Amino acid sequence: MTLTIKVYSDYVCPFCFLAEKPLQEAAAGKDVQIEWMPFELRPYPNETLRPEGDYLQKTWEQYVYPMAKQMGIPIVLPRVSPQPYTHLAFEGYQHAKEKGKANEYNHRMFTAFFQEEQDIGDIDVLTKLAGEVGLDEKEFRQALETRKYKEAHQRALKHAYEEANITAVPTFVIGDTVLTGVRSKETLEKIIEEEMKKQSFRDFGEGMACGIDGC
């Protein structure tokens, strides 16, 4: 039975982008399904951060750039100021998910923002990026302009905030195991293998017993 891995993330979180590569490497060749789950760190109307501000400058210099260098992942603090709200990008994600392009779309959002400094809060930019992953641009734009997936996205956020009790991203839910923060390929691989064994036991062994008349 396929093991589901849920990853709660926001497109403006650099650690969510850095978490993608080790997860993909750990899951390679295994019977797992990765599902990216929306989580807005600063939903509208909360103010978003500015890249020229001290907080982001210090965080990137002390943590993001050293980690990215160690992992061999090109990344840059985007000069989009203030940082974009991500609700439209996530509504686009719901469309991509419906069309079977969820993971491709998710990855493109990360690379567009953290490697190309594109404004992923802009409908024109999002539409172009959607086309690059094989989605129909006209249909995609219409979905965002009419807010077709607004309710679906809000339900996803409610699940993350209230049901899954997510407080930081990235957060991985691998079977019964919950991990927060960037993790190594080796750590993720170990958890995946442990959860697959547990799942296999539940599928084929849990509940079996013998009585006086036999098994």
Side-chain angles (χ1 to χ4, degrees), residues 92 95-96 99 101 105 108-109 118 122-146 149:
H95 176 77
K99 300 296 181 180
K101 293 282 187 178
Y105 177 92
R108 191 66 188 100
M109 290 300 109
Q118 297 197 54
D122 182 90
I123 287 183
D124 290 338
V125 172
L126 291 172
T127 300
K128 177 179 68 69
L129 296 172
E132 291 176 10
V133 298
L135 293 169
D136 182 273
E137 291 189 20
K138 184 178 179 181
E139 187 178 10
F140 180 88
R141 176 184 287 275
Q142 185 177 30
L144 293 195
E145 289 178 342
T146 61
Y149 296 94

Side-chain angles (χ1 to χ4, degrees), residues 41-54:
L41 288 165
R42 295 169 189 85
Y44 182 85
N46 296 289
E47 288 188 7
T48 59
L49 300 177
R50 292 182 178 274
E52 64 271 20
D54 288 343

Side-chain angles (χ1 to χ4, degrees), residues 185-201:
K185 170 193 172 184
E186 291 74 22
T187 297
L188 293 169
E189 211 163 30
K190 181 181 178 183
I191 298 299
I192 289 171
E193 289 170 357
E194 290 174 353
E195 289 296 329
M196 292 184 79
K197 286 178 183 177
K198 285 163 61 177
Q199 181 169 286
S200 179
F201 175 74

